[in-house]
């Protein structure tokens, strides 16, 4: 077949339809969003909740979100920059911090809905694959589906640390263990001990010990936050264990104090009218004549 040159003629441009704005910006995967948002018609107006996890350079953001025609609404949110309040003094974007943030979100939203006592989740994390089951006496568990956005869902990714924290916190998040650290693709089994180490930051402590012996300069650079707060490799596991207990004791959000600027912005001066301008000129003339 001979080569046929495609011509973008007037008919092409008249029929051209631009993509959604957030698709053009590369922010939203609408193929995934449709499946996470669309609710079955026989469930009427029941919201379909999503466990939204986003990780930035300095923060882990976890939210419970549901969609309406007007847009997305956030039911509850938790951030890793809240963790210093619970005793986590550094490493706010690692796997263990992501787990703590997911746990904080779960306890916070269940407390808000009055389900905290009925669904306590996994009190002592041991790395086993467990999912929240319904109580025979009480209401069904709060259900949310994981929304990772555009993040790569590779094995051991931190978004699954946040999901594990939310699941252990008492939220029913449908999932399998295929993307947790230590999953063996050949035997199709999870390494519970390795997953527990990730939850309690043992892998961080081991790397701290390694760098401290091999490259002290790099150790001081990477773990500057831990060193500043006096946290050694031996204290990392206890730090996260105590943080889990503190989160369960009080998951409520603490509003931050809004700092007022030293010099408030006064805005643009209001324009003078004709009468005010004339009066201003007359005052200047009078002041000048008084000096003569």
């Amino acid at each position: 077949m001979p080569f046929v040159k495609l011509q973008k003629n007037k008919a092409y441009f008249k029929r051209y339809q631009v993509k959604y704005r957030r698709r053009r910006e590369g922010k939203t995967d609408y193929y995934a969003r449709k499946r996470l948002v669309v609710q079955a018609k026989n469930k009427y107006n029941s919201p379909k909740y999503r466990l939204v996890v986003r990780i930035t350079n300095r923060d882990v953001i976890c939210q419970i979100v549901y969609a309406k025609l007007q847009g997305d609404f956030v039911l509850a949110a938790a951030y890793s920059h809240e963790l210093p309040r619970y005793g986590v003094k550094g490493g706010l974007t690692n796997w263990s911090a992501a787990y703590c943030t997911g746990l904080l979100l779960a306890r916070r939203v269940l407390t808000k809905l009055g389900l905290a006592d009925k669904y306590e989740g996994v009190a002592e994390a041991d790395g086993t694959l467990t999912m929240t089951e319904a109580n025979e006496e009480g209401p069904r568990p709060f259900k949310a589906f994981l929304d990772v956005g555009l993040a790569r869902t590779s094995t051991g990714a931190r978004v699954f640390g946040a999901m594990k924290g939310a699941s252990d916190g008492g939220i029913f998040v449908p999932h399998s263990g295929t993307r947790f650290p230590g999953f063996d693709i050949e035997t199709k089994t999870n390494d519970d001990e390795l997953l527990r180490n990730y939850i309690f930051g043992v892998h961080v402590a081991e790397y701290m010990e390694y760098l401290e012996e091999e490259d002290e300069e790099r150790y001081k650079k990477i773990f500057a936050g831990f060193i500043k707060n006096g946290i050694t490799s031996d204290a990392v596991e206890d730090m996260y264990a105590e943080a889990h207990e503190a989160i369960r004791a009080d998951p409520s959000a603490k509003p931050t104090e809004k700092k007022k600027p030293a010099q408030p912005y006064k805005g643009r001066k209001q324009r003078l009218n004709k009468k005010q301008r004339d009066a201003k000129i007359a005052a200047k003339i009078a002041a000048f004549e008084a000096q003569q």
Side-chain angles (χ1 to χ4, degrees), residues 254-273:
K254 186 178 180 181
T256 56
E257 295 181 2
K258 303 297 181 183
K259 295 181 180 179
K260 293 183 179 180
Q263 295 180 347
Y265 176 66
K266 296 180 180 178
R268 187 175 178 180
K269 291 183 179 180
Q270 190 174 6
R271 290 187 65 180
L272 303 177
N273 56 30

Side-chain angles (χ1 to χ4, degrees), residues 21-135:
R21 176 179 58 82
R22 288 185 63 86
R23 172 61 189 88
R24 298 198 305 269
E25 294 172 351
K27 292 180 178 179
T28 299
D29 179 2
Y30 280 98
Y31 184 86
R33 178 178 170 81
K34 179 189 174 184
R35 285 149 182 78
L36 285 167
V37 166
V38 172
Q39 179 69 292
K41 293 295 182 184
N42 61 1
K43 294 183 180 178
Y44 301 97
N45 204 27
S46 298
K48 190 172 186 178
Y49 295 102
R50 312 195 315 270
L51 170 61
V52 176
V53 180
R54 300 291 184 268
I55 298 175
T56 68
N57 286 343
R58 296 191 176 185
D59 212 358
V60 177
I61 305 165
C62 294
Q63 297 172 326
I64 296 293
V65 179
Y66 61 96
K68 285 187 174 182
L69 289 176
Q70 295 85 352
D72 282 1
F73 291 81
V74 179
L75 179 66
Y79 304 87
S80 66
H81 65 246
E82 298 178 67
L83 296 180
R85 176 182 153 204
Y86 297 101
V88 180
K89 302 297 183 181
L92 299 181
T93 54
N94 61 31
W95 211 97
S96 309
Y99 177 91
C100 291
T101 310
L103 178 64
L104 177 60
L105 174 67
R107 300 314 300 165
R108 185 169 289 173
V109 71
L110 292 179
T111 302
K112 184 175 183 179
L113 298 174
L115 297 173
D117 296 333
K118 297 178 178 65
Y119 292 98
E120 295 183 358
V122 181
E124 295 184 7
D126 54 2
T128 57
L129 179 63
T130 55
M131 279 191 277
T132 306
E133 297 180 356
N135 286 337

